[in-house]
Amino acid sequence: MCAIADSGSVRKAARQLGMTQPSLTTQLHRIEKALGGQLFFRAATGSRPTPLGHVVLSRARPIVADMRALVDEITAVSVREQGARLRIGSTSSRAVAGWLRRLRARLPGTDPALRIDVSANALLQMVSSGQLDAVFVHEVEGAPLRVPTNLDQHELIAREPQFIALPATHPATTKEVVDLADLAGDPWMVDPTVDGEWVGLRRIWAAAGVNPRVVHGDYLTAADLVAAGEVVTPCQPTSRPRHGMDIRPLRG
């Protein structure tokens, strides 16, 4: 319930909890049946608590916090007994493998534990609550992350360019740098669970005067659809092309 309320979506909550959306929906229905009332209003824009939901959440949050504190306390005891362990998190990035190698080289007495999550805000909250020690995240221009006040921030790269993955048969692959206008007629696949991505893309589309069709999905699926010639999708500069796909920088 707390995950649904915090993310505003059953789909986002399911991904954060490592569950499928149908299984989380079933679990929510069981809770609602046991309590005898609807806990969330559901709409195309997301889920928000009903009056009953607010009452239940006010009792649930302290329980969740106490349970997290208990788990953290047990983990701390286990770490003291087994040796140092560094708990790190990251959004999806090709830089993670190199980061882990450097950590192991510089801190040979530690055992880094890694958590990958699509939500940078969720990872930041996990550092704030003591579940992780450090996280590697990116912030989309115009969509600032919600950074808890008890965290220290270190900027590694001030500005990273945006690249685009497109089918190898696309006419724009003849260019070294692709303009948004070259992709105005293509369907774009966007993962709405990546914090800031949807807001950032809508902002640059509006500035360029384009309004492409949008398909929502995850970026692992997007790679297959790009290679099949069905969509284009934003990607990181370090992304590598696969068969049937090319990667180009976006101008500006």
Side-chain angles (χ1 to χ4, degrees), residues 1-6 17 31 56-72 129 131:
M1 277 195 62
C2 293
I4 296 170
D6 292 340
L17 296 170
I31 296 172
V56 178
L57 282 165
S58 68
R59 297 295 187 95
R61 291 192 187 280
I63 295 171
V64 172
D66 286 345
M67 193 65 199
R68 282 177 178 159
L70 173 61
V71 171
D72 289 342
S129 63
Q131 299 174 71

Side-chain angles (χ1 to χ4, degrees), residues 18 35 62 69-70 74 80-81 91 101 129 137 144-145 155 158 160 174 185 189 194 202 204 207 223 226 244:
L35 296 177
L70 173 61
I74 293 171
R80 285 196 297 271
E81 292 176 350
T91 47
R101 281 196 301 271
S129 63
V137 297
L145 295 174
E155 186 179 84
E160 181 182 72
T174 59
M189 177 165 271
V194 177
R202 282 189 298 179
I204 66 166
V226 171

Side-chain angles (χ1 to χ4, degrees), residues 87-90 99 115 120 123-124 126-127 132-137 151:
R87 303 161 303 165
I88 59 177
S90 177
W99 190 30
R115 178 188 177 97
L123 290 168
L124 292 170
M126 292 181 74
V127 181
L132 293 173
D133 299 308
V135 292
F136 178 80
V137 297
L151 301 191

